């Protein structure tokens, strides 16, 4: 086999086995070469060498998939050209298997599953991926029919919703909200279940006197806030490091140390209510004006970093702590019935859209992903 040189970090990626590995590397750093070598070493292992058709290699584009297949084929041929592998039946077999190996985009993989197991999903075997222009017209027709039916029924909550988020004499605002909500729901592996859970959460919110820490949305919000606070801490530490470096603006450390204590206190909070109370009295002391032998560049770097985390904290307060939890719960209880109507509209829109596609034997890219998930994963209730 031709000898290739890899950095220690690259060799670590190539040789990692029996674990989940996440690798982040810049463009042009040799990610493809490392992945190809990793695959080749799996195929040429002395003990239990694998077959290429038992591997799934997912790329971003079809062009990248074609390049990956070509590189693997080239490396296999290089191996077979050496004396050590010249008569290796297993590697000769890999060259033949490579043509049909699963080296493709994620949508290509999903499509291959649906073509093979369409009968498990009651899917028309002659289905095709619709063009975007075709889907745009289809979605517009579905939305028009949905809203016409709802207006004919004249339900009070629906009419109130149109008044709240409508735009003048048109339904543009309502349509945009339904479409955006539908797209967001599609990001879940089981969109129907996600919408059902949203409806149940809104039902609970109707009678809630405060925000419950047990609600999934509150837990997720708290986790997100704490993640951002940890980012603020890291930025603050970077500013401190500049101050402590040779020629750094040492007098700024007094304010930065106070900021660090504030951020550590915020990060230690465990619940949304604790964070809400802590954000009530956030304040920052001014940077020292004491003269010090330093450069303007380092002073501006520290000021810039401090502005970054102060702005992050300000945005957190504006977005998530603009009112007390009790007031938020009261507002949410008021809006919950209208939001439930929006969820219902989104769910009905999805059902009608799915029926229209099924009647025409069409699927879109979201369908490829969700149908593949249904094949591979059993939904837990």
């Amino acid at each position: 086999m031709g000898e290739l040189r890899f950095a220690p970090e690259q060799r670590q990626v190539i040789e990692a086995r029996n674990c989940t590995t996440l690798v982040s590397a810049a463009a042009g750093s040799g990610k493809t070469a490392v992945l190809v070598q990793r695959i080749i070493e799996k195929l040429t292992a002395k003990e239990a060498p694998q077959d290429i058709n038992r591997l799934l290699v997912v790329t971003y584009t079809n062009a990248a998939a074609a390049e990956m297949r070509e590189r693997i084929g080239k490396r296999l041929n290089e191996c077979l050209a050496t004396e050590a592998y010249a008569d290796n039946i297993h590697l000769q077999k890999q060259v033949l298997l490579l043509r049909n190996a699963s080296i493709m985009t994620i949508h290509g993989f999903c499509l291959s599953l649906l073509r093979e197991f369409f009968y498990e999903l009651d899917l028309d075997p002659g289905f095709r991926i619709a063009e975007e222009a075709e889907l745009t017209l289809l979605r517009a027709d579905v939305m028009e029919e949905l809203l016409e039916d709802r207006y004919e029924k004249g339900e009070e909550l629906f009419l109130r919703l149109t008044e709240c988020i409508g735009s003048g004499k048109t339904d543009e605002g309502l349509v945009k909200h339904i479409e955006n909500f539908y797209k967001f729901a599609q990001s879940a592996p089981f969109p129907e279940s996600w919408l059902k859970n949203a409806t149940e959460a809104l039902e609970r919110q109707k009678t809630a006197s405060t925000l419950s820490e047990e609600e999934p949305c509150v837990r997720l919000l708290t986790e997100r806030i704490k993640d951002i606070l940890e980012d603020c801490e890291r930025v603050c530490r970077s500013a401190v490091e500049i101050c402590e470096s040779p020629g750094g603006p040492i007098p700024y450390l007094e304010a930065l140390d106070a900021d660090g204590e504030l951020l550590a206190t915020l990060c230690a909070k465990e619940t949304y209510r604790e964070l809400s109370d802590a954000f009530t009295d956030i304040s920052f002391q001014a940077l020292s004006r004491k003269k010090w032998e330093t450069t303007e560049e380092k002073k501006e770097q520290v000021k810039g970093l401090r502005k970054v985390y102060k702005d992050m904290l300000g945005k957190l307060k504006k977005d998530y702590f603009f009112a007390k939890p009790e007031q938020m719960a009261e507002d949410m209880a008021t809006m919950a019935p209208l939001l439930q109507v929006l969820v219902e509209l989104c769910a009905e829109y999805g059902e009608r859209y799915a029926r229209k596609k099924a009647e025409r034997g069409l699927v879109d890219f979201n369908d490829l992903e969700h149908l593949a998930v249904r094949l591979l994963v059993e939904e837990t209730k």
Side-chain angles (χ1 to χ4, degrees):
M1 190 191 314
E3 192 65 31
L4 297 178
R5 294 181 179 275
F6 292 99
E9 295 83 358
Q10 292 175 317
R11 177 51 62 183
Q12 187 178 6
V13 173
I14 292 168
E15 296 176 354
R17 297 290 186 271
N18 303 317
C19 62
T20 300
T21 306
L22 175 63
V23 180
S24 177
S29 59
K31 293 187 296 294
T32 303
V34 167
L35 182 54
V36 169
Q37 185 65 20
R38 178 177 169 84
I39 293 169
I40 291 296
E41 292 193 11
K42 282 177 172 285
L43 304 182
T44 59
K46 292 182 178 179
E47 296 184 10
Q50 295 186 355
D51 287 322
I52 187 68
N53 64 336
R54 300 291 297 172
L55 301 179
L56 171 62
V57 183
V58 176
T59 62
Y60 282 107
T61 65
N62 290 321
E67 180 187 358
M68 179 71 71
R69 194 184 302 272
E70 181 181 351
R71 287 200 190 191
I72 293 172
K74 181 179 178 182
R75 293 288 290 128
L76 284 172
N77 287 324
E78 288 175 356
C79 291
L80 289 169
T82 64
E83 183 177 348
Y85 292 95
D87 299 321
N88 190 299
I89 302 299
H90 176 74
L91 279 194
Q92 293 173 9
K93 177 184 174 184
Q94 303 315 303
V95 174
L96 298 176
L97 293 175
L98 180 61
R99 182 187 300 273
N100 296 316
S102 296
I103 305 171
M104 57 189 70
T105 64
I106 186 63
H107 288 126
F109 173 64
C110 294
L111 182 59
S112 68
L113 285 177
L114 302 191
R115 293 288 188 208
E116 186 173 356
F117 300 104
F118 63 89
Y119 54 87
E120 296 280 358
L121 300 163
D122 294 327
L123 191 63
D124 183 345
F127 74 89
R128 65 179 177 86
I129 301 175
E131 298 289 338
E132 186 54 38
E134 186 178 11
L135 291 173
T136 299
L137 293 174
L138 192 60
R139 287 193 293 264
D141 289 342
V142 169
M143 186 67 74
E144 184 178 357
E145 291 174 6
L146 170 63
L147 296 184
E148 281 182 0
D149 289 348
R150 284 297 181 122
Y151 275 118
E152 282 185 15
K153 292 179 181 178
E155 296 167 336
E156 180 186 353
L157 283 175
F158 170 74
L159 296 177
R160 281 176 56 194
L161 180 67
T162 62
E163 292 173 2
C164 286
I165 60 178
S167 52
K169 296 181 179 180
T170 72
D171 292 319
E172 182 181 349
L174 178 59
V175 168
K176 189 172 293 185
H177 275 77
I178 296 172
E179 288 178 340
N180 289 342
F181 203 88
Y182 171 78
K183 290 176 183 176
F184 188 83
Q186 292 300 298
S187 65
F190 299 98
E192 297 81 6
S193 297
W194 188 88
L195 290 169
K196 181 174 179 291
N197 291 337
T199 300
E200 292 172 352
L202 289 167
E203 189 64 35
R204 292 190 296 271
Q205 196 60 52
K206 288 180 182 179
T207 56
S209 58
T210 188
L211 295 181
S212 170
E213 302 288 347
E214 299 305 314
E215 284 290 342
C217 61
V218 177
R219 290 203 306 271
L220 287 171
L221 178 59
T222 303
E223 289 172 8
R224 171 168 172 74
I225 293 168
K226 287 176 70 65
D227 286 343
I228 294 173
L229 289 173
E230 289 172 3
D231 288 339
C232 289
E233 267 199 315
R234 282 190 282 271
V235 177
C236 183
R237 284 198 295 270
S238 296
V240 169
E241 288 171 4
I242 294 173
C243 288
E244 293 177 340
S245 65
I250 293 293
Y252 287 175
L253 278 176
E254 182 181 350
L256 294 179
D257 287 342
D259 293 349
E261 290 178 12
L262 169 65
L263 291 167
T265 299
L266 291 172
C267 286
K269 303 302 181 186
E270 295 295 333
T271 66
Y272 177 83
R273 175 174 287 282
E274 290 175 351
L275 286 165
S276 178
D277 292 340
F279 263 85
T280 302
D281 300 317
I282 283 183
S283 61
F284 301 93
Q285 70 181 71
L287 291 172
S288 172
R289 296 179 179 274
K290 182 180 177 182
K291 299 294 183 181
W292 194 265
E293 193 69 30
T294 185
T295 64
E296 282 299 317
E297 181 183 2
K298 289 198 173 186
K299 288 169 64 176
E300 291 304 316
Q301 284 178 337
V302 172
K303 289 178 181 178
L305 289 172
R306 194 176 195 230
K307 183 178 185 304
V308 167
Y309 64 76
K310 285 176 67 176
D311 287 349
M312 291 167 71
L313 291 172
K315 191 171 189 310
L316 280 178
K317 186 171 184 177
K318 178 183 176 183
D319 290 348
Y320 304 128
F321 303 107
F322 51 85
K324 292 291 185 181
E326 292 78 12
Q327 182 61 52
M328 287 186 175
E330 184 179 332
D331 293 342
M332 291 174 69
T334 301
M335 293 301 299
L338 297 182
L339 289 173
Q340 280 186 317
V341 175
L342 182 60
V343 174
E344 290 170 9
L345 288 169
C346 176
E348 187 175 350
Y349 171 75
E351 291 168 4
R352 290 181 180 228
Y353 182 40
R355 278 201 302 272
K356 291 279 189 184
K357 287 184 290 184
E359 289 168 3
R360 294 162 173 75
L362 303 176
V363 296
D364 60 22
F365 287 109
N366 282 328
D367 294 327
L368 294 180
E369 296 171 1
H370 289 129
L371 291 171
V373 168
R374 281 172 54 188
L375 275 174
L376 299 173
V377 180
E378 183 175 351
E379 183 179 6
T380 55
K381 301 297 183 181

